[in-house]
Coordinates of all heavy atoms in Angstrom, one line a residue:
M1 N -4.7 -22.3 -28.5 CA -5.7 -21.9 -27.5 C -7.0 -22.8 -27.7 O -7.3 -23.2 -28.7 CB -6.0 -20.5 -27.6 CG -5.1 -19.5 -27.0 SD -5.7 -17.9 -27.0 CE -4.3 -17.0 -27.6
N2 N -7.5 -23.0 -26.5 CA -8.8 -23.7 -26.6 C -10.0 -22.8 -27.0 O -10.1 -21.8 -26.5 CB -9.0 -24.3 -25.0 CG -10.3 -25.3 -25.1 OD1 -11.2 -25.1 -25.9 ND2 -10.2 -26.1 -24.2
E3 N -10.7 -23.3 -27.9 CA -11.8 -22.4 -28.5 C -12.9 -22.3 -27.5 O -13.7 -21.5 -27.8 CB -12.2 -23.1 -29.8 CG -11.2 -23.0 -30.9 CD -11.7 -23.6 -32.2 OE1 -12.9 -23.6 -32.4 OE2 -10.9 -24.1 -32.9
N4 N -13.0 -23.1 -26.4 CA -14.1 -22.9 -25.5 C -13.7 -22.0 -24.3 O -14.5 -21.9 -23.4 CB -14.5 -24.4 -24.8 CG -14.9 -25.2 -26.0 OD1 -15.6 -24.8 -27.0 ND2 -14.6 -26.5 -25.9
K5 N -12.6 -21.4 -24.3 CA -12.2 -20.5 -23.2 C -12.2 -19.0 -23.7 O -11.9 -18.8 -24.9 CB -10.8 -20.9 -22.7 CG -11.0 -22.3 -22.1 CD -9.8 -22.6 -21.2 CE -9.8 -24.0 -20.5 NZ -9.0 -24.1 -19.5
I6 N -12.5 -18.2 -22.7 CA -12.1 -16.7 -22.9 C -10.8 -16.4 -22.4 O -10.6 -16.7 -21.3 CB -13.4 -16.0 -22.2 CG1 -14.6 -16.3 -22.9 CG2 -13.1 -14.4 -22.3 CD1 -15.8 -15.6 -22.1
V7 N -10.0 -15.9 -23.2 CA -8.6 -15.5 -22.7 C -8.5 -14.1 -22.7 O -8.9 -13.3 -23.7 CB -7.6 -16.1 -23.8 CG1 -6.3 -15.9 -23.3 CG2 -7.8 -17.7 -23.8
L8 N -8.1 -13.6 -21.6 CA -7.7 -12.1 -21.4 C -6.2 -11.8 -21.3 O -5.6 -12.6 -20.5 CB -8.3 -11.6 -20.2 CG -9.9 -11.7 -20.1 CD1 -10.3 -11.1 -18.7 CD2 -10.6 -10.8 -21.2
I9 N -5.6 -11.2 -22.2 CA -4.2 -10.9 -22.1 C -4.0 -9.6 -21.2 O -4.5 -8.7 -21.5 CB -3.6 -10.6 -23.6 CG1 -4.1 -11.8 -24.5 CG2 -2.2 -10.3 -23.6 CD1 -3.5 -13.1 -24.2
V10 N -3.2 -9.9 -20.2 CA -2.9 -8.8 -19.3 C -1.6 -8.3 -19.5 O -0.6 -8.9 -19.7 CB -3.0 -9.4 -17.8 CG1 -2.7 -8.4 -16.8 CG2 -4.3 -10.1 -17.6
H11 N -1.6 -6.9 -19.6 CA -0.4 -6.2 -19.7 C -0.1 -5.5 -18.4 O -0.8 -4.6 -18.0 CB -0.5 -5.0 -20.9 CG -1.0 -5.6 -22.1 ND1 0.1 -6.2 -22.9 CD2 -2.1 -5.8 -22.8 CE1 -0.5 -6.6 -24.1 NE2 -1.7 -6.5 -24.0
R12 N 0.9 -6.0 -17.8 CA 1.4 -5.5 -16.5 C 1.9 -4.0 -16.6 O 2.7 -3.7 -17.5 CB 2.5 -6.3 -15.8 CG 2.1 -7.7 -15.8 CD 1.2 -7.9 -14.5 NE 0.9 -9.3 -14.4 CZ -0.2 -9.7 -13.7 NH1 -0.9 -8.8 -13.1 NH2 -0.5 -11.0 -13.6
P13 N 1.5 -3.1 -15.7 CA 2.0 -1.8 -15.9 C 3.4 -1.7 -15.3 O 3.9 -2.5 -14.5 CB 1.1 -1.0 -14.9 CG 0.6 -2.1 -13.9 CD 0.5 -3.4 -14.8
E14 N 4.1 -0.7 -15.8 CA 5.5 -0.6 -15.3 C 5.4 -0.2 -13.8 O 4.5 0.4 -13.3 CB 6.0 0.7 -16.1 CG 6.3 0.6 -17.5 CD 7.3 -0.6 -17.7 OE1 8.4 -0.7 -17.1 OE2 7.1 -1.4 -18.6
P15 N 6.4 -0.6 -13.1 CA 6.4 -0.4 -11.6 C 6.6 1.1 -11.4 O 7.3 1.8 -12.1 CB 7.7 -1.1 -11.1 CG 8.5 -1.6 -12.3 CD 7.6 -1.4 -13.5
S16 N 5.9 1.6 -10.3 CA 5.8 2.9 -9.9 C 6.6 3.1 -8.7 O 6.5 2.4 -7.7 CB 4.5 3.5 -9.8 OG 4.5 4.7 -9.3
F17 N 7.5 4.1 -8.8 CA 8.3 4.4 -7.5 C 7.9 5.6 -6.8 O 8.5 6.0 -5.8 CB 9.8 4.4 -8.0 CG 10.3 3.2 -8.5 CD1 10.5 3.0 -9.9 CD2 10.5 2.1 -7.7 CE1 11.0 1.7 -10.4 CE2 10.9 0.8 -8.2 CZ 11.2 0.7 -9.6
C18 N 7.0 6.3 -7.3 CA 6.5 7.6 -6.7 C 5.0 7.7 -6.8 O 4.4 8.1 -7.7 CB 7.2 8.8 -7.5 SG 6.7 10.3 -6.6
G19 N 4.3 7.2 -5.7 CA 2.9 7.2 -5.6 C 2.5 8.2 -4.7 O 3.2 8.7 -3.9
V20 N 1.1 8.5 -4.8 CA 0.6 9.5 -3.9 C -0.6 8.8 -3.1 O -1.4 8.2 -3.6 CB 0.0 10.7 -4.6 CG1 -0.7 11.7 -3.6 CG2 1.1 11.4 -5.4
V21 N -0.5 8.9 -1.8 CA -1.5 8.4 -0.9 C -2.1 9.6 -0.1 O -1.3 10.2 0.6 CB -0.9 7.2 0.0 CG1 -2.0 6.8 0.9 CG2 -0.3 6.1 -0.8
R22 N -3.3 9.6 0.0 CA -4.0 10.6 0.8 C -4.3 10.0 2.2 O -5.0 8.9 2.3 CB -5.1 11.3 0.3 CG -4.9 11.9 -1.2 CD -6.2 12.5 -1.7 NE -6.0 13.1 -3.0 CZ -5.5 14.3 -3.3 NH1 -5.2 15.1 -2.2 NH2 -5.3 14.7 -4.4
L23 N -3.8 10.6 3.3 CA -4.1 10.1 4.6 C -5.4 10.8 5.2 O -5.6 12.0 4.9 CB -2.9 10.5 5.6 CG -1.5 9.8 5.1 CD1 -0.5 10.4 6.0 CD2 -1.5 8.4 5.0
D24 N -6.0 10.0 6.0 CA -7.0 10.6 6.8 C -6.6 11.5 7.9 O -5.3 11.4 8.1 CB -8.2 9.6 7.2 CG -7.6 8.7 8.3 OD1 -6.5 9.0 9.0 OD2 -8.1 7.5 8.4
K25 N -7.3 12.3 8.6 CA -6.8 13.3 9.6 C -6.0 12.6 10.7 O -5.0 13.2 11.1 CB -8.0 14.1 10.1 CG -8.5 15.0 9.0 CD -9.7 16.0 9.6 CE -10.1 16.9 8.5 NZ -11.1 17.9 9.0
Q26 N -6.5 11.5 11.2 CA -5.8 10.9 12.3 C -4.5 10.4 11.9 O -3.5 10.6 12.6 CB -6.8 9.7 12.8 CG -6.2 9.0 14.0 CD -7.0 7.9 14.5 OE1 -8.1 7.4 13.8 NE2 -6.6 7.3 15.6
A27 N -4.4 9.7 10.8 CA -3.1 9.2 10.2 C -2.1 10.3 10.0 O -0.9 10.3 10.3 CB -3.3 8.4 9.1
E28 N -2.6 11.5 9.4 CA -1.8 12.5 9.2 C -1.3 13.2 10.5 O -0.1 13.5 10.6 CB -2.6 13.7 8.4 CG -1.6 14.8 8.1 CD -2.5 16.0 7.5 OE1 -3.7 15.8 7.4 OE2 -1.8 16.9 6.9
A29 N -2.1 13.3 11.6 CA -1.6 13.7 12.7 C -0.6 12.9 13.5 O 0.3 13.5 14.0 CB -2.9 13.9 13.8
L30 N -0.8 11.6 13.2 CA 0.3 10.6 13.9 C 1.6 10.7 13.1 O 2.7 10.8 13.7 CB -0.3 9.2 13.8 CG -1.4 8.9 14.8 CD1 -1.9 7.6 14.4 CD2 -1.0 9.1 16.2
V31 N 1.6 11.0 11.8 CA 2.8 11.0 11.1 C 3.4 12.4 11.3 O 4.7 12.4 11.6 CB 2.5 11.0 9.5 CG1 3.8 11.4 8.6 CG2 2.0 9.6 9.1
K32 N 2.7 13.4 11.4 CA 3.3 14.8 11.9 C 3.9 14.7 13.3 O 4.9 15.2 13.6 CB 2.2 15.8 11.8 CG 1.9 16.3 10.4 CD 0.8 17.4 10.5 CE 0.6 17.8 9.0 NZ -0.3 18.9 8.8
Q33 N 3.2 14.0 14.2 CA 3.8 13.8 15.6 C 5.2 13.0 15.4 O 6.1 13.3 16.0 CB 2.8 13.1 16.5 CG 3.3 12.8 17.8 CD 3.5 14.0 18.6 OE1 2.8 15.0 18.5 NE2 4.6 14.1 19.5
L34 N 5.1 12.0 14.6 CA 6.5 11.2 14.4 C 7.6 12.1 13.7 O 8.7 12.0 14.1 CB 6.1 10.0 13.6 CG 5.5 8.9 14.3 CD1 5.1 7.8 13.4 CD2 6.3 8.3 15.4
Q35 N 7.1 13.1 12.9 CA 8.0 13.9 12.3 C 8.7 14.9 13.3 O 9.9 15.1 13.2 CB 7.4 14.8 11.2 CG 7.1 14.1 9.8 CD 6.6 15.0 8.8 OE1 5.3 15.3 8.8 NE2 7.3 15.5 8.0
R36 N 7.9 15.4 14.2 CA 8.3 16.3 15.2 C 9.3 15.5 16.1 O 10.3 16.1 16.6 CB 7.0 16.9 16.1 CG 6.4 17.9 15.3 CD 5.3 18.7 16.3 NE 4.3 17.8 16.7 CZ 3.2 17.6 16.0 NH1 3.0 18.2 14.9 NH2 2.3 16.8 16.5
E37 N 8.8 14.4 16.5 CA 9.7 13.6 17.5 C 11.1 13.1 16.9 O 12.1 13.0 17.5 CB 9.1 12.3 18.0 CG 7.8 12.8 18.8 CD 7.0 11.5 19.2 OE1 7.4 10.3 19.0 OE2 5.8 11.7 19.8
T38 N 11.1 12.8 15.5 CA 12.2 12.2 15.0 C 13.0 13.2 14.0 O 14.3 12.9 13.7 CB 11.9 10.9 14.1 OG1 11.1 11.4 12.9 CG2 11.1 10.0 14.9
G39 N 12.4 14.2 13.4 CA 13.0 15.1 12.5 C 13.1 14.4 11.1 O 13.8 15.0 10.3
M40 N 12.5 13.4 10.9 CA 12.5 12.6 9.7 C 11.4 13.0 8.8 O 10.3 13.6 9.3 CB 12.6 11.1 9.8 CG 13.8 10.6 10.6 SD 13.6 8.8 10.9 CE 15.2 8.5 11.6
S41 N 11.5 12.8 7.5 CA 10.5 13.1 6.5 C 9.2 12.2 6.5 O 9.3 11.2 7.0 CB 11.0 13.1 5.2 OG 11.2 11.8 4.6
A42 N 8.2 12.8 6.2 CA 6.9 11.9 6.1 C 7.1 10.7 5.2 O 6.7 9.6 5.5 CB 5.7 12.8 5.8
K43 N 7.7 11.0 4.1 CA 8.0 9.9 3.1 C 8.7 8.8 3.7 O 8.4 7.6 3.6 CB 8.8 10.5 1.9 CG 9.2 9.4 0.9 CD 10.0 10.1 -0.3 CE 10.6 9.0 -1.2 NZ 11.4 9.4 -2.2
Y44 N 9.8 9.1 4.6 CA 10.6 8.1 5.2 C 9.8 7.3 6.2 O 9.8 6.1 6.3 CB 11.9 8.7 5.8 CG 12.7 7.6 6.5 CD1 13.6 6.8 5.8 CD2 12.7 7.5 7.9 CE1 14.4 5.9 6.4 CE2 13.4 6.6 8.5 CZ 14.3 5.7 7.7 OH 15.1 4.7 8.4
I45 N 9.1 8.1 7.0 CA 8.4 7.6 8.1 C 7.3 6.5 7.6 O 7.2 5.2 8.0 CB 7.8 8.6 8.9 CG1 8.8 9.3 9.8 CG2 6.6 7.9 10.0 CD1 8.3 10.6 10.4
V46 N 6.5 7.0 6.6 CA 5.5 6.1 6.1 C 6.1 4.9 5.3 O 5.5 3.8 5.4 CB 4.5 7.0 5.2 CG1 3.5 6.2 4.5 CG2 3.9 8.0 6.1
S47 N 7.1 5.1 4.6 CA 7.7 4.1 3.8 C 8.2 2.9 4.8 O 8.1 1.8 4.6 CB 8.8 4.6 3.0 OG 8.5 5.4 2.0
Q48 N 8.9 3.4 5.9 CA 9.4 2.4 6.9 C 8.2 1.6 7.5 O 8.3 0.5 7.9 CB 10.2 3.1 7.8 CG 11.6 3.5 7.3 CD 12.4 2.3 6.9 OE1 12.6 1.4 7.5 NE2 12.8 2.4 5.5
I49 N 7.2 2.3 7.9 CA 5.9 1.7 8.6 C 5.5 0.5 7.6 O 5.2 -0.5 8.1 CB 5.0 2.8 8.9 CG1 5.4 3.6 10.1 CG2 3.6 2.1 9.2 CD1 4.5 4.8 10.4
I50 N 5.5 0.9 6.4 CA 4.8 -0.1 5.4 C 5.8 -1.2 5.2 O 5.4 -2.4 5.2 CB 4.5 0.7 3.9 CG1 3.3 1.6 4.1 CG2 4.3 -0.4 3.0 CD1 3.2 2.5 3.0
I51 N 7.1 -0.9 5.0 CA 8.1 -2.0 4.8 C 8.2 -2.9 6.0 O 8.1 -4.2 5.9 CB 9.5 -1.3 4.4 CG1 9.4 -0.7 3.0 CG2 10.6 -2.5 4.6 CD1 10.6 0.2 2.8
Q52 N 8.3 -2.3 7.1 CA 8.5 -3.1 8.4 C 7.2 -3.8 8.9 O 7.2 -4.8 9.6 CB 9.1 -2.1 9.6 CG 10.5 -1.7 9.2 CD 11.0 -0.8 10.4 OE1 10.8 -1.2 11.6 NE2 11.7 0.2 10.0
G53 N 6.0 -3.2 8.6 CA 4.8 -3.6 9.0 C 4.0 -4.7 8.1 O 3.0 -5.2 8.4
Y54 N 4.7 -4.8 6.9 CA 4.0 -5.6 5.9 C 3.8 -7.0 6.4 O 2.7 -7.7 6.2 CB 4.9 -5.7 4.6 CG 4.3 -6.6 3.6 CD1 3.4 -6.0 2.8 CD2 4.7 -7.8 3.5 CE1 2.9 -6.8 1.7 CE2 4.2 -8.6 2.3 CZ 3.2 -8.1 1.5 OH 2.7 -8.9 0.5
D55 N 4.7 -7.7 7.1 CA 4.5 -9.0 7.5 C 3.4 -9.1 8.7 O 3.1 -10.2 9.0 CB 5.8 -9.7 8.1 CG 6.8 -9.9 6.9 OD1 6.2 -10.1 5.7 OD2 8.0 -9.9 7.1
L56 N 3.1 -8.0 9.3 CA 2.2 -7.9 10.3 C 0.6 -7.9 9.8 O -0.3 -8.0 10.6 CB 2.3 -6.7 11.3 CG 3.7 -6.8 11.9 CD1 3.8 -5.4 12.7 CD2 4.0 -7.9 12.8
V57 N 0.6 -7.7 8.5 CA -0.8 -7.5 7.8 C -1.4 -8.9 7.6 O -0.7 -9.7 7.0 CB -0.8 -6.8 6.6 CG1 -2.1 -6.7 5.8 CG2 -0.3 -5.4 7.0
E58 N -2.7 -9.2 8.0 CA -3.3 -10.4 7.7 C -4.6 -10.0 6.9 O -5.2 -9.0 7.1 CB -3.9 -11.0 9.1 CG -4.6 -12.4 8.8 CD -5.1 -12.9 10.2 OE1 -4.5 -12.6 11.1 OE2 -6.0 -13.7 10.1
I59 N -4.7 -10.7 5.8 CA -6.0 -10.5 4.9 C -7.0 -11.5 5.1 O -6.7 -12.6 5.1 CB -5.3 -10.7 3.4 CG1 -4.2 -9.9 3.1 CG2 -6.5 -10.3 2.4 CD1 -4.3 -8.4 3.2
K60 N -8.2 -10.9 5.4 CA -9.3 -11.8 5.6 C -10.5 -11.4 4.6 O -10.7 -10.2 4.5 CB -9.8 -11.7 7.1 CG -9.0 -12.2 8.0 CD -9.7 -12.1 9.4 CE -8.8 -12.7 10.5 NZ -9.4 -12.7 11.7
E61 N -11.2 -12.4 4.1 CA -12.3 -12.0 3.2 C -13.4 -11.8 4.0 O -13.6 -12.5 5.1 CB -12.5 -13.3 2.2 CG -11.5 -13.3 1.1 CD -11.8 -14.4 0.2 OE1 -13.1 -14.5 -0.1 OE2 -10.9 -14.9 -0.4
E62 N -14.3 -10.9 3.6 CA -15.5 -10.6 4.3 C -16.5 -11.8 4.2 O -16.7 -12.4 3.2 CB -16.2 -9.3 3.7 CG -17.4 -8.9 4.4 CD -18.0 -7.6 3.8 OE1 -17.8 -7.5 2.6 OE2 -18.6 -6.9 4.7
E63 N -17.0 -12.2 5.3 CA -18.0 -13.3 5.4 C -19.4 -12.8 4.8 O -19.8 -11.7 5.1 CB -18.1 -13.9 6.8 CG -16.7 -14.5 7.2 CD -16.9 -15.1 8.7 OE1 -18.0 -15.3 9.1 OE2 -15.9 -15.3 9.3
Q64 N -20.0 -13.8 4.2 CA -21.2 -13.4 3.6 C -22.4 -13.4 4.4 O -22.5 -14.1 5.3 CB -21.5 -14.4 2.3 CG -20.4 -14.4 1.3 CD -20.7 -13.5 0.3 OE1 -21.9 -12.9 -0.1 NE2 -19.8 -13.0 -0.4

């Protein structure tokens, strides 16, 4: 290692397959509406929206 550098060793966490996300009231209402219309679980609906919508997300940095 170079003595002039600060080195941080990163330990990656184990992948999580069961996370909890709290929805705001508007998002919850929309998910409940989709549940009524489809008969599917909230878990399935939200997971599919994230999986199918991932490529539609654009990341922008806030301008100073």
Side-chain angles (χ1 to χ4, degrees):
M1 281 188 223
N2 187 330
E3 291 182 28
N4 296 325
K5 293 191 177 193
I6 297 171
V7 178
L8 302 177
I9 307 298
V10 178
H11 299 280
R12 301 280 179 205
E14 293 294 319
S16 173
F17 297 104
C18 183
V20 175
V21 175
R22 295 186 188 274
L23 302 176
D24 63 23
K25 288 182 181 185
Q26 182 181 9
E28 182 182 9
L30 293 170
V31 170
K32 285 183 178 181
Q33 179 65 33
L34 289 170
Q35 283 183 282
R36 285 191 294 274
E37 293 176 8
T38 66
M40 295 178 174
S41 71
K43 176 183 175 180
Y44 178 79
I45 292 168
V46 173
S47 293
Q48 287 302 305
I49 290 170
I50 293 169
I51 292 166
Q52 295 181 39
Y54 180 82
D55 290 335
L56 301 174
V57 175
E58 180 179 339
I59 308 296
K60 290 186 177 182
E61 290 188 32
E62 184 176 27
E63 294 183 18
Q64 301 273 338

